[in-house]
Short mmCIF file of all heavy atoms in Angstrom, two decimals:
data_model
loop_
_atom_site.label_atom_id
_atom_site.label_comp_id
_atom_site.label_asym_id
_atom_site.label_seq_id
_atom_site.Cartn_x
_atom_site.Cartn_y
_atom_site.Cartn_z
N MET A 16 92.48 51.02 48.35
CA MET A 16 91.38 52.02 48.45
C MET A 16 90.03 51.39 48.07
O MET A 16 88.99 51.72 48.65
CB MET A 16 91.75 53.22 47.58
CG MET A 16 92.99 54.03 48.13
SD MET A 16 92.68 54.76 49.67
CE MET A 16 91.83 56.18 49.21
N HIS A 17 89.95 50.66 47.02
CA HIS A 17 88.78 50.10 46.51
C HIS A 17 88.03 49.18 47.55
O HIS A 17 86.91 49.34 47.83
CB HIS A 17 88.95 49.31 45.20
CG HIS A 17 87.69 48.80 44.61
ND1 HIS A 17 86.66 49.59 44.08
CD2 HIS A 17 87.15 47.52 44.63
CE1 HIS A 17 85.71 48.88 43.71
NE2 HIS A 17 85.96 47.62 44.05
N GLU A 18 88.95 48.39 48.12
CA GLU A 18 88.37 47.50 49.17
C GLU A 18 87.88 48.38 50.37
O GLU A 18 86.89 48.00 50.96
CB GLU A 18 89.48 46.53 49.66
CG GLU A 18 89.01 45.45 50.59
CD GLU A 18 90.12 44.45 51.00
OE1 GLU A 18 91.10 44.34 50.23
OE2 GLU A 18 90.00 43.92 52.04
N ARG A 19 88.58 49.44 50.72
CA ARG A 19 88.18 50.31 51.82
C ARG A 19 86.73 50.85 51.55
O ARG A 19 85.92 50.73 52.37
CB ARG A 19 89.16 51.48 51.93
CG ARG A 19 88.76 52.55 52.93
CD ARG A 19 89.54 53.82 52.74
NE ARG A 19 89.96 54.41 54.05
CZ ARG A 19 90.56 55.56 54.10
NH1 ARG A 19 90.94 56.23 52.96
NH2 ARG A 19 90.94 56.09 55.22
N LYS A 20 86.53 51.38 50.33
CA LYS A 20 85.25 51.93 49.94
C LYS A 20 84.19 50.83 50.02
O LYS A 20 83.03 51.08 50.58
CB LYS A 20 85.23 52.53 48.56
CG LYS A 20 85.96 53.79 48.46
CD LYS A 20 85.91 54.35 47.04
CE LYS A 20 86.81 53.53 46.14
NZ LYS A 20 86.88 54.17 44.79
N LYS A 21 84.49 49.65 49.55
CA LYS A 21 83.51 48.56 49.55
C LYS A 21 83.11 48.15 50.97
O LYS A 21 81.92 48.06 51.24
CB LYS A 21 84.07 47.37 48.76
CG LYS A 21 83.14 46.20 48.70
CD LYS A 21 83.65 45.09 47.95
CE LYS A 21 82.72 43.85 48.01
NZ LYS A 21 83.35 42.64 47.35
N VAL A 22 84.09 48.05 51.86
CA VAL A 22 83.83 47.63 53.25
C VAL A 22 83.03 48.73 53.93
O VAL A 22 82.02 48.44 54.61
CB VAL A 22 85.15 47.38 53.99
CG1 VAL A 22 84.84 47.17 55.53
CG2 VAL A 22 85.82 46.10 53.38
N MET A 23 83.36 49.98 53.75
CA MET A 23 82.57 51.02 54.29
C MET A 23 81.17 51.10 53.77
O MET A 23 80.19 51.13 54.61
CB MET A 23 83.27 52.41 53.99
CG MET A 23 84.58 52.62 54.69
SD MET A 23 85.51 54.10 54.14
CE MET A 23 84.44 55.47 54.72
N PHE A 24 80.94 50.92 52.52
CA PHE A 24 79.65 50.98 51.91
C PHE A 24 78.85 49.80 52.38
O PHE A 24 77.67 49.96 52.77
CB PHE A 24 79.76 50.95 50.41
CG PHE A 24 78.46 50.84 49.68
CD1 PHE A 24 77.57 51.87 49.55
CD2 PHE A 24 77.99 49.48 49.25
CE1 PHE A 24 76.36 51.73 49.03
CE2 PHE A 24 76.80 49.39 48.66
CZ PHE A 24 75.95 50.42 48.54
N MET A 25 79.45 48.54 52.41
CA MET A 25 78.62 47.35 52.82
C MET A 25 78.19 47.42 54.27
O MET A 25 77.29 46.74 54.61
CB MET A 25 79.47 46.09 52.59
CG MET A 25 79.82 45.93 51.08
SD MET A 25 78.39 45.71 50.03
CE MET A 25 77.78 44.08 50.62
N ASN A 26 78.88 48.19 55.05
CA ASN A 26 78.57 48.25 56.56
C ASN A 26 77.73 49.55 56.87
O ASN A 26 77.76 49.98 58.04
CB ASN A 26 79.88 48.20 57.34
CG ASN A 26 80.40 46.77 57.35
OD1 ASN A 26 79.88 45.99 58.11
ND2 ASN A 26 81.34 46.53 56.52
N SER A 27 77.07 50.15 55.89
CA SER A 27 76.36 51.36 56.17
C SER A 27 74.93 51.33 55.60
O SER A 27 74.63 50.53 54.68
CB SER A 27 77.08 52.50 55.57
OG SER A 27 77.17 52.42 54.16
N ASP A 28 74.07 52.09 56.23
CA ASP A 28 72.73 52.27 55.79
C ASP A 28 72.50 53.50 55.02
O ASP A 28 71.50 53.66 54.23
CB ASP A 28 71.79 52.26 57.03
CG ASP A 28 71.89 51.08 57.90
OD1 ASP A 28 71.69 49.89 57.40
OD2 ASP A 28 72.13 51.16 59.09
N ALA A 29 73.42 54.48 55.22
CA ALA A 29 73.25 55.75 54.58
C ALA A 29 74.67 56.30 54.32
O ALA A 29 75.55 55.91 55.09
CB ALA A 29 72.45 56.77 55.37
N ILE A 30 74.83 57.18 53.33
CA ILE A 30 76.15 57.78 53.05
C ILE A 30 76.02 59.32 53.18
O ILE A 30 75.10 59.87 52.70
CB ILE A 30 76.59 57.40 51.63
CG1 ILE A 30 76.82 55.91 51.53
CG2 ILE A 30 77.86 58.15 51.28
CD1 ILE A 30 75.73 55.17 50.86
N VAL A 31 77.06 59.86 53.93
CA VAL A 31 77.13 61.28 54.05
C VAL A 31 78.47 61.80 53.54
O VAL A 31 79.50 61.18 53.91
CB VAL A 31 76.95 61.74 55.53
CG1 VAL A 31 77.27 63.21 55.69
CG2 VAL A 31 75.55 61.42 56.01
N VAL A 32 78.49 62.79 52.67
CA VAL A 32 79.71 63.25 52.14
C VAL A 32 79.91 64.69 52.67
O VAL A 32 79.10 65.68 52.45
CB VAL A 32 79.70 63.34 50.57
CG1 VAL A 32 81.07 63.83 50.01
CG2 VAL A 32 79.37 61.97 49.97
N LEU A 33 80.92 64.94 53.43
CA LEU A 33 81.34 66.27 54.03
C LEU A 33 82.37 66.79 53.00
O LEU A 33 82.84 66.14 52.04
CB LEU A 33 81.96 66.07 55.40
CG LEU A 33 81.10 65.33 56.40
CD1 LEU A 33 81.84 65.31 57.84
CD2 LEU A 33 79.76 65.96 56.56
N PRO A 34 82.72 68.01 53.20
CA PRO A 34 83.76 68.63 52.34
C PRO A 34 85.07 67.76 52.36
O PRO A 34 85.40 67.08 53.37
CB PRO A 34 84.07 69.97 52.96
CG PRO A 34 82.76 70.35 53.52
CD PRO A 34 82.20 69.06 54.08
N GLY A 35 85.70 67.70 51.17
CA GLY A 35 86.87 66.95 51.01
C GLY A 35 87.51 67.16 49.66
O GLY A 35 87.06 68.02 48.93
N GLY A 36 88.49 66.35 49.38
CA GLY A 36 89.26 66.45 48.12
C GLY A 36 89.02 65.39 47.16
O GLY A 36 87.87 64.83 47.06
N ALA A 37 90.01 64.96 46.38
CA ALA A 37 89.89 64.03 45.33
C ALA A 37 89.37 62.64 45.83
O ALA A 37 88.53 62.03 45.24
CB ALA A 37 91.18 63.86 44.56
N GLY A 38 89.82 62.30 47.04
CA GLY A 38 89.45 60.97 47.64
C GLY A 38 87.96 61.05 47.93
O GLY A 38 87.17 60.05 47.64
N SER A 39 87.37 62.08 48.49
CA SER A 39 86.04 62.28 48.77
C SER A 39 85.19 62.21 47.51
O SER A 39 84.07 61.74 47.41
CB SER A 39 85.73 63.57 49.56
OG SER A 39 86.46 63.53 50.79
N LEU A 40 85.64 62.88 46.47
CA LEU A 40 84.98 62.87 45.18
C LEU A 40 84.85 61.47 44.60
O LEU A 40 83.87 61.07 44.10
CB LEU A 40 85.68 63.88 44.21
CG LEU A 40 85.38 65.34 44.40
CD1 LEU A 40 86.36 66.16 43.47
CD2 LEU A 40 83.91 65.66 44.02
N ASP A 41 86.07 60.78 44.65
CA ASP A 41 86.11 59.38 44.24
C ASP A 41 85.08 58.53 45.00
O ASP A 41 84.34 57.79 44.35
CB ASP A 41 87.50 58.82 44.49
CG ASP A 41 87.53 57.32 44.21
OD1 ASP A 41 87.25 56.89 43.08
OD2 ASP A 41 87.96 56.62 45.13
#
């Protein structure tokens, strides 16, 4: 999961958080 977040973050210019659960909060 940590690597997933890092890859997603590194490949983005902006972050959007839609409704979600514990994973989205993390």
Side-chain angles (χ1 to χ4, degrees):
M16 295 294 282
H17 181 73
E18 188 179 334
R19 177 197 219 182
K20 287 182 289 187
K21 181 180 176 186
V22 171
M23 290 172 69
F24 172 79
M25 296 299 289
N26 284 281
S27 64
D28 301 306
I30 295 97
V31 171
V32 183
L33 305 182
S39 301
L40 283 168
D41 171 59

